[in-house]
Amino acid sequence: MTEITPRGVPEIVAVIGGGTMGAGIVQQFLMAGARVVLVEATVEAAEAGRGRVAAGLDKARERGKIDLEPGPYLARMDAVADTADIPAKAGIVIEAVPERPELKIAVLAAAEAVVGEETVLASNTSSLSVTELAAALKRPSRFLGTHFFNPVPASKLVEIVTGPETDPAVLESVRGWAGALGKTEIVVRDAPGFATSRLGVMLGLEAIRMVEEGVASPADIDTAMELGYRHPMGPLKLTDLVGLDVRLAIAEYLAAELGDRFTPPELLRRKVAEGRLGRKSGEGFHIWDEGDKA
């Protein structure tokens, strides 16, 4: 078996949640040489997460990002259905479960109960208060936000969010690990929506209102931002990629925290109610081919 050694990342990493984001985070750490434990709610979900990681490694191989077949990387990965299986010596545990505070608090507390005192706990939340999540932990100084972006392997950014009790040494360690993953990190003080979601959601909501008002088509709005402002992806295509249900949940949270300017448009609510959630369902503001579905 080809030996793969960690390159600037913890030797052991755990990721809770094996959806699109979680699988991407697992892939990144595997590619950097870490041993990774993926935790899901059931054995079936854990195996599905392993499949997403394997597919991501196949794509990385095709694109020349890695030299080896997926096998040697997958040999360094365990997919389990119990947080009790997280190794006590894990350097960092990252939760990447849906944006529901009670769920995130539950999985973080369960992870904290089985790892050592030096383990860093992190949330991949894109908008929820890191301070509120930390309040449920016994060691809030070892906790912060690590907001990765989708698709994780291709994105260059990690938004690191610090709470009032985050240990500066923890922040520096995580900044170093982000760099070892090939990411550029930004550091943001905990505030509703942080830096990226607050700005990105505002632009996306206004684009949805423009469609709702008949100002322009989704394709033309996206083209305007891509060619006129050099955005790599238009706001409606990005909404489809993130998931309309995810964007709706974030907008509702920001509206409650920051006011009416983040109130979700009725068009967004209607599409979510109809199950038109974006790429993962095949249709949102654009039509996605079967091969494009997450």
Side-chain angles (χ1 to χ4, degrees):
M1 180 68 67
T2 301
E3 184 63 25
I4 304 171
T5 56
R7 300 186 299 278
V9 296
E11 182 179 351
I12 302 172
V13 173
V15 177
I16 305 175
T20 301
M21 292 299 297
I25 296 169
V26 169
Q27 179 186 330
Q28 283 278 267
F29 277 103
L30 288 175
M31 289 166 57
R35 294 187 176 275
V36 185
V37 176
L38 170 62
V39 184
E40 259 291 0
T42 66
V43 172
E44 293 78 12
E47 287 306 308
R50 181 193 292 275
R52 293 186 192 96
V53 175
L57 289 167
D58 273 328
K59 289 183 180 179
R61 166 80 170 176
E62 292 170 4
R63 295 169 181 170
K65 301 296 183 182
I66 55 175
D67 296 327
L68 303 176
E69 296 293 332
Y73 294 98
L74 293 173
R76 301 176 65 84
M77 173 188 171
D78 291 317
V80 303
D82 193 336
T83 51
D85 292 325
I86 296 174
K89 293 184 179 180
I92 186 171
V93 178
I94 302 173
E95 69 79 10
V97 300
E99 292 283 280
R100 301 201 305 272
E102 70 282 359
L103 176 60
K104 290 183 179 290
I105 287 170
V107 299
L108 286 166
E112 185 182 44
V114 299
V115 298
E117 293 187 358
E118 296 304 308
T119 299
V120 175
L121 294 174
S123 173
N124 185 54
T125 181
S126 58
S127 63
L128 297 179
S129 171
V130 166
T131 303
E132 291 181 12
L133 297 178
L137 301 175
K138 295 178 179 178
R139 297 186 293 276
S141 64
R142 308 294 300 174
F143 176 73
L144 41 58
T146 50
H147 178 200
F148 288 83
F149 291 78
N150 190 24
V152 176
S155 174
K156 295 297 185 182
L157 181 67
V158 175
E159 184 178 37
I160 301 175
V161 186
T162 60
E165 296 187 62
T166 301
D167 187 332
V170 169
L171 171 61
E172 288 309 306
S173 292
V174 174
R175 292 183 70 174
W177 298 337
L181 293 176
K183 309 298 186 186
T184 296
E185 82 283 358
I186 63 170
V187 179
V188 180
R189 178 181 61 81
D190 187 26
F194 316 139
T196 54
S197 291
R198 190 163 171 174
L199 291 171
V201 169
M202 178 60 76
L203 178 60
L205 294 178
E206 190 59 30
I208 295 169
R209 291 189 188 98
M210 291 170 66
V211 174
E212 196 170 49
E213 295 166 6
V215 174
S217 70
D220 284 349
I221 291 170
D222 281 344
T223 299
M225 299 310 296
E226 290 166 7
L227 300 184
Y229 287 85
R230 298 186 180 181
H231 287 200
M233 183 181 296
L236 296 167
K237 188 178 293 182
L238 181 58
T239 296
D240 275 7
L241 184 64
V242 170
L244 275 67
D245 52 338
V246 175
R247 180 133 288 183
L248 175 59
I250 295 171
E252 289 177 330
Y253 169 76
L254 292 177
E257 294 291 324
L258 297 174
D260 291 344
R261 65 188 186 275
F262 285 99
T263 299
E266 285 305 313
L267 177 58
L268 176 59
R269 294 187 187 279
R270 186 164 68 251
K271 282 183 176 287
V272 171
E274 293 169 352
R276 292 187 284 172
L277 306 180
R279 185 180 70 165
K280 59 189 172 186
S281 70
E283 180 182 355
F285 289 96
H286 298 276
I287 302 297
W288 296 81
D289 293 334
E290 187 67 29
D292 291 325
K293 292 183 183 179

